[in-house]
Amino acid sequence: MLRDEFGREFHYLRLSITDVCNFRCNYCLPEGYQGRPDAAFLSLDEIRRIATAFAATGTRKIRITGGEPSVRADLPDIICTLKEIQGIDKVVITTNGYRLPERIDAWHQAGIDAINLSIDSLDPAVFNAITGHDRLRELLEGLDRAIDLGIKTVKVNAVILRGLNDRQLDQFLQWIKAMPVTLRFIELMQTGDNEAFFKKHHFRGENIKQRLLAEGWREVQRDIDAGPAREFSHPEFRGRVGLIMPYSKDFCATCNRLRISSTGQLHLCLFSEHGISLRHLLQSDDQLPELLTFLRQQLGTKKISHFLQQGNSGGTQHLAMIGG
Ligand code: SAM
Ligand code: SF4
């Protein structure tokens, strides 16, 4: 088991497979992806070795993320490879849903257990203004298909932005009356690149929580490998609401996840100063014992909390470089 000095155990790995993205979300990559499209991202063998090592230390769930993970043509192979690793119970993905209706069947066949789809607005014009793409209808079709295929967990992520989509809470809540998805409102996080945007558009998740409680929503229990969201249910709604509030007190106390960037850097926190390269330990299957020892040593250096409240987002320029 991977455990840090503060007694936190790590069952959940967020694995980025590319930094490339085809969207231009105004809070993340407002100018679009600016790096090299041919950068040396993790190979399928390297991904398999990472997952094997983490499974051996108690990781049960792996989230594939990016950039936009679906820009990799070998994504179905990556899903299959992760599913075959003993000890990994859940392979899940976070995606912007680009061409989802064409792609979701292949992910399902490969064995994907759950999908988190980013939909920042249900109004096509606002969706376009935030992401730079007129693709809301396509995402919603893909979402319906995921539900029809019987993918066990389907969640929707929406970053709440003051002045852009914060007035659309009613529309979002109305939508999940009949829609059996968990709708997760994510509080905007400050990163190295978005300071001015953050100051203008940050909206406190606590405001949403107070509204939900006043309207009869009740908080539900978390699973051991659950992400950071606090979840709420209501008897009159088929869907649930999740709140991700990184600025709330004690957000880091329940941290159960580690991150690997698309170039094989271990990040002990979303907002750490830098990653720790694992690549030299990913070149052959024989290196597994060395990799395990290295991971355990590095865990000893994980800090108790991020320093976001002080406006310090570490070395994270934007979340596309580490997968959110
Ligand atoms: N491209 C995929 C997507 O958008 O779903 C996966 C990567 S993206 C970095 C993962 C999640 O992080 C998305 O739900 C996105 O909305 C969220 N995100 C990105 N930048 C953020 C920020 N500054 N604050 C809060 N959430 C952010
Ligand atoms: Fe791309 Fe996801 Fe960032 Fe949007 S949030 S720019 S889809 S990586």
Side-chain angles (χ1 to χ4, degrees):
M1 177 59 57
L2 285 176
R3 193 175 283 119
D4 74 2
E5 279 189 7
F6 309 100
R8 294 175 295 194
E9 293 179 349
F10 297 87
H11 304 278
Y12 171 16
L13 175 67
R14 297 181 64 102
L15 177 64
S16 174
I17 59 170
T18 181
D19 285 5
V20 179
C21 187
N22 39 20
F23 275 26
R24 295 187 297 276
C25 301
N26 50 11
Y27 49 81
C28 182
L29 296 177
E31 311 298 331
Y33 175 68
Q34 300 288 313
R36 292 178 52 145
D38 58 348
F41 300 122
L42 290 167
S43 69
L44 192 55
D45 275 336
E46 289 175 318
I47 289 173
R48 178 175 51 75
R49 290 179 191 127
I50 289 171
T52 306
F54 275 82
T57 61
T59 292
R60 297 191 208 155
K61 168 171 155 186
I62 299 186
R63 174 169 305 284
I64 303 170
T65 178
E68 173 47 36
S70 63
V71 302
R72 270 187 73 153
D74 61 350
L75 176 58
D77 297 333
I78 294 174
I79 298 170
C80 270
T81 301
L82 295 176
K83 283 296 287 183
E84 278 166 9
I85 291 169
Q86 208 181 352
I88 301 297
D89 299 337
K90 286 188 204 159
V91 176
V92 304
I93 188 167
T94 300
T95 176
N96 64 21
Y98 183 86
R99 295 201 170 165
L100 191 61
E102 288 165 41
R103 291 175 165 168
I104 187 75
D105 284 61
W107 304 353
H108 176 59
Q109 274 160 22
I112 202 79
D113 292 294
I115 167 164
N116 282 10
L117 183 59
S118 298
I119 305 182
D120 292 326
S121 175
L122 293 169
D123 175 323
V126 178
F127 180 88
N128 194 350
I130 295 175
T131 64
H133 278 267
D134 187 14
R135 289 186 170 266
L136 177 63
R137 186 202 286 252
E138 177 183 84
L139 262 72
L140 294 174
E141 265 173 40
L143 182 67
D144 286 342
R145 179 73 189 147
I147 294 169
D148 288 349
L149 285 169
I151 293 179
K152 274 177 264 160
T153 312
V154 180
K155 297 186 181 175
V156 169
N157 287 346
V159 179
I160 288 298
L161 303 166
R162 177 178 299 284
L164 289 173
N165 62 6
D166 59 325
R167 301 253 169 86
Q168 298 179 329
L169 289 182
D170 286 338
Q171 187 184 15
F172 270 127
L173 291 177
Q174 197 55 36
W175 182 61
I176 57 166
K177 267 211 150 159
M179 197 70 182
V181 298
T182 299
L183 171 60
R184 292 143 34 107
F185 294 121
I186 306 178
E187 195 168 323
L188 178 65
M189 297 174 227
Q190 185 178 340
T191 58
D193 281 358
N194 75 2
E195 190 182 340
F197 185 92
F198 175 84
K199 288 201 171 116
K200 191 162 172 206
H201 295 292
H202 179 244
F203 182 87
R204 290 182 66 228
E206 183 63 28
N207 296 341
I208 305 178
K209 181 177 149 201
Q210 292 311 328
R211 171 177 171 175
L212 292 175
L213 293 176
E215 292 178 4
W217 292 79
R218 292 292 167 256
E219 189 160 356
V220 296
Q221 282 283 325
R222 288 163 50 90
D223 287 342
I224 187 172
D225 62 357
R230 294 174 64 177
E231 263 190 36
F232 298 79
S233 69
H234 190 295
E236 289 161 25
F237 290 72
R238 285 189 76 196
R240 286 184 171 188
V241 175
L243 290 180
I244 300 183
M245 299 186 287
Y247 292 88
S248 66
K249 200 162 85 41
D250 292 341
F251 180 76
C252 299
T254 53
C255 183
N256 58 358
R257 53 207 167 273
L258 294 168
R259 295 177 166 83
I260 304 246
S261 76
S262 61
T263 54
Q265 308 260 325
L266 170 69
H267 286 258
L268 296 170
C269 174
L270 180 53
F271 297 103
S272 47
E273 284 302 331
H274 49 76
I276 303 155
S277 183
L278 300 180
R279 216 136 194 201
H280 61 294
L281 298 171
L282 299 176
Q283 300 316 307
S284 115
D285 292 357
D286 300 341
Q287 290 175 294
L288 180 64
E290 250 183 288
L291 177 57
L292 289 174
T293 307
F294 188 75
L295 285 175
R296 290 204 175 91
Q297 279 166 356
Q298 294 306 320
L299 251 280
T301 66
K302 182 168 162 68
K303 301 206 169 58
I304 192 159
S305 168
H306 60 55
F307 300 98
L308 271 187
Q309 281 88 349
Q310 293 82 8
N312 179 352
S313 47
T316 303
Q317 294 306 115
H318 47 72
L319 297 197
M321 64 185 269
I322 180 174

